[in-house]
């Protein structure tokens, strides 16, 4: 058997999981420029299964700039 990325044996080990970046939808940069009320942009890095969740991921995470839990959406790399 061939070992996958995570060291486990199996034919499909390491396939289907992709790394995604989540960004706060409230602090996000707009087409006019940067949101002046926010001192920065909150981002998280996580993984998702591209086969079971092909659509864009949205999770409620803590934003240190807004100082509350906000919706963080998946962005392009």
């Amino acid at each position: 058997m061939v070992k996958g990325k995570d060291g486990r044996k199996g034919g499909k080990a390491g396939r289907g999981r992709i790394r995604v970046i989540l960004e706060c939808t409230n602090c996000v940069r707009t087409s006019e420029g940067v949101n002046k009320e926010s001192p920065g942009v909150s981002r998280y890095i996580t993984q998702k299964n591209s086969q079971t969740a092909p659509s864009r991921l949205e999770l409620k995470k803590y934003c240190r700039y807004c100082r509350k839990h906000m919706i963080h959406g998946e962005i392009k790399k």
Side-chain angles (χ1 to χ4, degrees), residues 37-54:
E37 298 171 359
S38 177
V41 178
S42 173
R43 288 188 175 151
Y44 285 93
I45 298 174
T46 188
Q47 291 182 350
K48 76 171 186 177
N49 188 337
S50 61
Q51 294 176 350
T52 59

Side-chain angles (χ1 to χ4, degrees), residues 8-28:
R8 292 185 288 167
K9 292 182 180 181
K12 294 187 178 180
R15 292 187 194 165
R17 307 248 1 133
I18 57 171
R19 186 170 289 173
V20 294
I21 300 171
L22 302 176
E23 186 175 77
C24 180
T25 55
N26 193 34
C27 299
V28 71

Side-chain angles (χ1 to χ4, degrees), residues 58-71:
E58 285 190 343
L59 296 173
K60 202 165 188 181
K61 305 285 277 180
Y62 182 76
C63 177
R64 61 183 176 173
Y65 301 108
C66 298
R67 295 191 180 106
K68 54 185 166 181
H69 285 83
M70 301 296 295
I71 295 175

